[in-house]
Amino acid sequence: MQKTTFLLLALLLLCSCNNKKKLLDKAIEKAVACAELGTVEYTVTKLIIANDNDFYKLGDRKIIFSCRTTMKAGIDLKDFTKEDVEVSDRGRTVTINLPQPKVLSFNMSAEDIKLEYSKVSGLRTGFNTDERSSLLKQGEKAIMDDAPNLGIYEDAKENATDFFKALLAHSGFENINVCFKEEEKVAENK
């Protein structure tokens, strides 16, 4: 919250002076110090189901957890520089190139994890602590892997665009273009 407030104050300085480019450069330097701009928060509920009924073991065992996670997404400003901002048309037009949004925080607390169902039959033993922990880690990974399908990145882009357009319009710019840098291709090690 303090980081966002600092970003707002730094960029609002643009209103008070005619030399928008210099002030914009200074504000960008201060904004980068904030590091992150969270623009959206999602709460996701997921069922984690394990069914262990190998044919060579007598009996089976099943377990179901429900978990609730909170994900915050937004713009990581650590790689944002003043070169990502272009002012043209006598200081009336500004183009800002932001990094792609990403998940800034992910929280699945113990209080939000509930054992919904557990069944052990035959000569089997219940799921031990390590197995339960492993299942929950798989659930966390599944939620993170599904983040693009949830729409969290599109919402983060939309909210960041609205934020910067409103802020820069208040600072006196008439034409504001908010763009997002192309995603970098990650080389796969094969």
Side-chain angles (χ1 to χ4, degrees):
M1 185 67 179
Q2 289 178 331
K3 292 177 184 178
T4 304
T5 305
F6 183 77
L7 175 65
L8 286 169
L9 292 174
L11 291 175
L12 285 175
L13 288 174
L14 296 172
C15 298
S16 62
C17 188
N18 293 333
N19 194 346
K20 293 179 187 174
K21 179 65 176 156
K22 278 186 180 178
L23 287 174
L24 185 62
D25 288 345
K26 288 180 184 178
I28 296 302
E29 288 173 13
K30 291 179 182 179
V32 171
C34 293
E36 296 176 345
L37 175 64
T39 59
V40 68
E41 179 177 300
Y42 274 31
T43 300
V44 179
T45 302
K46 181 164 185 71
L47 291 177
I48 302 169
I49 302 170
N51 187 6
D52 184 10
N53 56 358
D54 293 331
F55 72 93
Y56 57 88
K57 297 179 181 176
L58 294 175
D60 64 345
R61 59 186 187 156
K62 300 176 184 181
I63 195 166
I64 300 175
F65 291 101
S66 66
C67 61
R68 190 177 74 197
T69 61
T70 303
M71 292 191 303
K72 292 181 185 176
I75 308 301
D76 186 351
L77 296 172
K78 73 176 180 191
D79 295 326
F80 185 73
T81 65
K82 60 184 174 183
E83 285 78 32
D84 293 321
V85 179
E86 299 171 26
V87 178
S88 59
D89 195 20
R90 289 180 243 156
R92 294 183 351 197
T93 301
V94 63
T95 301
I96 186 166
N97 295 301
L98 297 172
Q100 289 290 323
K102 66 181 192 177
V103 173
L104 302 173
S105 70
F106 182 89
N107 183 22
M108 185 166 75
S109 65
E111 297 85 33
D112 293 329
I113 300 170
K114 295 180 183 170
L115 176 63
E116 299 292 341
Y117 177 80
S118 180
K119 178 184 175 190
V120 179
S121 66
L123 301 175
R124 303 295 303 273
T125 59
F127 288 90
N128 64 34
T129 304
D130 290 339
E131 290 171 321
R132 288 177 183 222
S133 179
S134 176
L135 290 170
L136 292 172
K137 285 180 185 175
Q138 289 174 25
E140 283 183 23
K141 184 180 179 323
I143 293 170
M144 285 298 293
D145 290 347
D146 199 35
N149 300 326
L150 298 174
I152 194 168
Y153 298 127
E154 289 80 16
D155 287 346
K157 279 184 180 181
E158 184 178 318
N159 292 344
T161 300
D162 292 344
F163 171 78
F164 279 102
K165 282 187 174 185
L167 187 64
L168 294 171
H170 183 68
S171 300
F173 291 99
E174 296 173 14
N175 301 312
I176 302 159
N177 302 310
V178 179
C179 304
F180 292 88
K181 298 176 187 177
E182 292 296 318
E183 293 184 55
E184 295 177 20
K185 303 294 180 191
V186 178
E188 294 182 9
N189 296 329
K190 292 187 178 182

